[in-house]
Amino acid sequence: MNNTFDELRQTIELSQSIAISGHTSPDGDAIGACCALAMSLAELGKDVVVILEGYTENFQVIPTGGLVVTEVDEEYLPDLYIAVDCGDKERLGKNGKLFDETLYTINIDHHISNTFFAKQNYVDDEASSASEIIFQFIYNYAPINADIAAAIYAGIVFDTGGFRHSSTSPITMAIVSELMEYDFNFTKIYNTIFHSRKFGEAKIMGIALCNLKEAFDGRIVTSIVTAEEIKKCGVTSDELSEISSFIKGVNNTVASVFIYEKEPGTFKVSMRSDDLVDVSEISTKFGGGGHVRAAGCTIKGNAEKILKDVLSEIEKQL
Ligand SMILES: [Mn+2]
């Protein structure tokens, strides 16, 4: 069961040193929510650190208040540990140990699968993002300034895919409307998160587009890139994450299948779809996972054969 905001605020009052962290491989929401909360609690006079793994260049646009560290000293033990945007304790990665050792723990999250793993919990699975909850939590309680507003904005923009996903609600937009009263560069945040890429990323996108093929009268688009092509562009697999959704954008396409060679003979299959195709069902058949409209799996073998097998599974759903 959820605690109330007032109960969480009482725990904060009882604490001077506070550690905050999000999930491993932090995304825009985890970073934005953690940093916004940290900056706001620091304004209240608390000693706050945000413990996060390193993250990609695009997210450097999110204000941190200089409070982010990747590691803490062995002897560091805060009064309170707040986990943000983590569905379960495992998502804290190696910080789970410190979390266990801390006297007061709070879990603030928006994943429907949340396991209520802290001593106090606040989970709202209808919230678009953890950042949205953090806004509600600090509103009328702790200070909000331009940097805090920018961090919350970044988290909401990221988790809603730029206000596109169905999780975007009137409440989300009301919060964004409040945030825009503060003086920060929302255009820069939006563009940096979604529309900026490294040279190599643009190049590998070009190669993927050159390799584009159609199946089932253009209802499925596919592309394969080899390890050699990836190496030539000097990119890592993180920098291929846009490709599948981009090619899904071809008119009249109901699903995309993007395959890349992770290592010789091992291929990652990344799929995107609309309502017609459940790609999580397909990826599960090949030992992978994901969501109905975005899923992936790793398959060993030959790329053309893998594509054929995946397409024949998709065909059953068309
Ligand atoms: Mn999130």
Side-chain angles (χ1 to χ4, degrees), residues 35-246:
C35 293
L37 179 61
M39 287 187 279
S40 185
L41 296 182
E43 290 282 329
L44 284 183
K46 305 293 179 186
D47 302 319
V48 194
V49 276
V50 177
I51 315 168
L52 286 176
E53 285 180 356
Y55 47 80
T56 54
E57 213 177 304
N58 287 7
F59 295 141
Q60 308 287 351
V61 73
I62 303 172
T64 63
L67 298 171
V68 176
V69 298
T70 52
E71 267 177 352
V72 285
D73 292 340
E74 273 285 314
E75 56 272 24
Y76 173 73
L77 185 64
D79 302 323
L80 164 64
Y81 199 123
I82 308 177
V84 180
D85 201 30
C86 296
D88 54 53
K89 210 181 74 189
E90 286 58 50
R91 295 286 282 143
L92 284 169
K94 63 175 168 51
N95 295 318
K97 190 171 161 278
L98 182 61
F99 182 87
D100 281 339
E101 289 164 0
T102 306
L103 178 61
Y104 299 123
T105 57
I106 291 176
N107 150 38
I108 297 177
D109 186 37
H110 70 119
H111 293 96
I112 196 163
S113 57
N114 193 286
T115 58
F116 289 73
F117 56 92
K119 286 178 190 152
Q120 290 183 310
N121 302 276
Y122 187 89
V123 179
D124 176 4
D125 60 48
E126 284 181 5
S128 69
S129 51
S131 299
E132 184 174 316
I133 304 174
I134 294 301
F135 176 84
Q136 293 169 322
F137 180 69
I138 62 176
Y139 190 68
N140 286 336
Y141 164 63
I144 299 179
N145 58 31
D147 277 351
I148 295 168
I152 294 171
Y153 177 86
I156 293 175
V157 160
F158 178 80
D159 254 18
T160 59
F163 314 118
R164 288 178 302 141
H165 299 159
S166 58
S167 60
T168 312
S169 73
I171 296 170
T172 314
M173 298 317 269
I175 290 172
V176 171
S177 152
E178 288 271 347
L179 296 173
M180 288 178 76
E181 297 291 339
Y182 294 87
D183 183 26
F184 67 93
N185 191 339
F186 54 86
T187 307
K188 186 180 172 200
I189 291 175
Y190 197 115
N191 279 338
T192 309
I193 289 180
F194 289 116
H195 301 297
S196 70
R197 53 194 60 78
K198 289 184 195 149
F199 182 76
E201 255 178 292
K203 248 187 121 166
I204 193 71
M205 175 71 88
I207 292 170
L209 296 180
C210 279
N211 298 347
L212 207 61
K213 285 190 175 138
E214 292 177 312
F216 311 123
D217 299 321
R219 296 171 79 197
I220 312 291
V221 291
T222 72
S223 177
I224 299 172
V225 301
T226 65
E228 199 181 323
E229 286 166 327
I230 294 169
K231 200 175 158 214
K232 237 194 275 173
C233 299
V235 292
T236 63
S237 56
D238 280 351
E239 285 144 0
L240 306 172
S241 58
E242 275 184 280
I243 296 175
S244 203
S245 23
F246 187 88

